[in-house]
Amino acid sequence: MIGELYTESLAGAAVEIEHVDGTRAPLEATRWREPIAGDEELLTRCAGPTLDVGSGPGRLTVALTRRGVPALGIDITPHAVHLTRRAGAQALVRDVFGHVPGSGRWATVLLADGNIGIGGDPLTLLKRVRELLRPGGWVLADVAPPGTASKVDRVRLRHGDELGEWFGWATVSAADIARLGVSAGFTCVDHWTRSGRWFARLR
Amino acid sequence: MIDAQIVVIAKEPVAGRAKTRLTPPYSPAQAAQLAASALEDTLRAVAQVPVRHRVLALDGLPGSWLPPGFVVISQRHGGLDERIAGAMADAHRLHPVPVMLIGMDTPQVTPELLTSSMETLAEHDAVYGPAADGGFWLYGRRVPDPATMLGVPMSRPDTGTVLLHRLRRECRSVGLAPELVDVDTAADAALVAAEAPWSRFAAMLEAMALPATAGAER
Ligand SMILES: C[S@@+](CC[C@H](N)C(=O)[O-])C[C@H]1O[C@@H](n2cnc3c(N)ncnc32)[C@H](O)[C@@H]1O
């Protein structure tokens, strides 16, 4: 996601995501600029101050703000943060593993659109996110369908011959989220499907 | 600092998926705990080798057993030959330096043994470490060539000799690492634990002392 190429992709450039085995797929970052079927499943469950981790251009942060739910987007891509602010929501350029405001006070943390993959180590990410939550708060995440193999990979962005740095990204299947959540210290994990997406809630 | 990489190819230690040949006598949960200990011993030994890159080619997700300093990549699909060939090719794509691969079944491995095997690879085109059951526990290439590994019949008494034969045909020189016992069955587990009493694996096996084994000792 990281860097110049992701910014170009948000502007509509034909950027691809490439795996270590050489396979490639279009990133299509512009899809994150419009509402996506199933978003409602996440939005209605954001109860109280919500931190949208890897908020990208901010469609969920903006939707929450419009509904009167206090929301903050954080993203390491400055252009994505700029787009979120321009759309009228609050966002900061922050790494989820670095200093994040309101640590221990968020009612909901969103890991939407596969953002449970951030950092390529979902156990470490979930432990980190648990520190950000207030007691009784929960995480809402998009996960992969139960038949998918959970995995961690190195990927990089590519635009023609222009290459980004390799970075870690994980995929977590609905079938593995409970086990992972419990290892990270959550006590109650459930998952469900709607509009072709799979969601999980960890408390 | 050795300008090369070590790749550990491993399966996430989940009950019912990892080290299933230890069941019986061990329960699936115990087999997974033994697998986790063996994996952690292996990774900690690799972490102490002065090598440029360390890669874990993992089937599944990392857990608290993963020490810092490893890049995790996912395994390819298919047979073990395809997974090994793929892991070495993918690691080489990530870091274009020589690749030495080991599994998670030799928790007795030490940083010194891995370092000397890397030094062997620096002097040859390939390095090969035979396993006592006829397989291999270590395989390294200056420049990986998936074709060497693809089609080698796995988990057979002649697996290692088939690979070694192919290597001798394709490479100018092949260096050898010492033979090790790899953990497949409960009997192997006891041998390996006796060889490496300092390991997490030995401690875990000890903690699980089977009623049958305890009876036999008495
Ligand atoms: C799959 S996109 C998310 C799209 C976003 N949810 C939306 O609605 O537009 C992943 C996002 O995570 C961000 N990201 C990656 N690593 C991050 C990190 N360590 N901390 C915060 N954000 C990160 C990327 O910049 C990118 O915008």
Side-chain angles (χ1 to χ4, degrees), chain A residues 1-3 6 10 27 29-34 36 39 52-61 74-78 80-81 84 92-98 100 110-119 125 142 167-169:
Chain A
M1 292 299 137
I2 334 294
Y6 178 59
L10 285 172
L27 179 66
T30 51
R31 70 191 139 127
W32 295 312
R33 301 188 64 161
E34 302 291 328
I36 300 177
D39 280 354
D52 183 4
V53 172
S55 48
R59 71 173 203 285
L60 296 169
T61 322
I74 57 166
D75 202 290
I76 54 170
T77 306
V81 168
T84 308
L92 292 171
V93 178
R94 287 285 187 283
D95 181 338
V96 63
F97 294 106
V100 173
L110 277 179
L111 291 171
D113 310 316
N115 284 353
I116 198 165
I118 287 175
L125 177 63
D142 269 290
F167 59 95
W169 199 261

Side-chain angles (χ1 to χ4, degrees), chain A residues 24-172:
Chain A
R24 302 182 203 173
L27 179 66
E28 290 169 342
T30 51
R31 70 191 139 127
W32 295 312
R33 301 188 64 161
E34 302 291 328
I36 300 177
D39 280 354
E40 210 48 45
E41 293 296 306
L42 297 171
L43 296 170
T44 59
R45 287 173 176 83
C46 293
T50 296
L51 181 71
D52 183 4
V53 172
S55 48
R59 71 173 203 285
L60 296 169
T61 322
V62 170
L64 288 168
T65 305
R66 287 208 183 117
R67 291 169 189 216
V69 178
L72 173 69
I74 57 166
D75 202 290
I76 54 170
T77 306
H79 184 64
V81 168
H82 168 76
L83 291 174
T84 308
R85 288 193 184 149
R86 203 174 65 186
Q90 296 199 78
L92 292 171
V93 178
R94 287 285 187 283
D95 181 338
V96 63
F97 294 106
H99 172 74
V100 173
S103 181
R105 292 207 294 273
W106 297 100
T108 306
V109 170
L110 277 179
L111 291 171
D113 310 316
N115 284 353
I116 198 165
I118 287 175
D121 185 348
L123 179 60
T124 303
L125 177 63
L126 287 176
K127 284 182 180 165
R128 167 64 182 141
V129 154
R130 217 167 82 83
E131 298 171 349
L132 299 174
L133 286 171
R134 71 184 186 198
W138 58 70
V139 178
L140 295 172
D142 269 290
V143 289
T148 321
S150 295
K151 63 177 182 179
V152 167
D153 226 330
R154 288 317 258 192
V155 295
R156 64 181 172 189
L157 298 182
R158 173 192 277 273
H159 188 201
D161 292 336
E162 213 183 321
L163 291 170
E165 293 291 312
W166 292 107
F167 59 95
W169 199 261
T171 304
V172 177

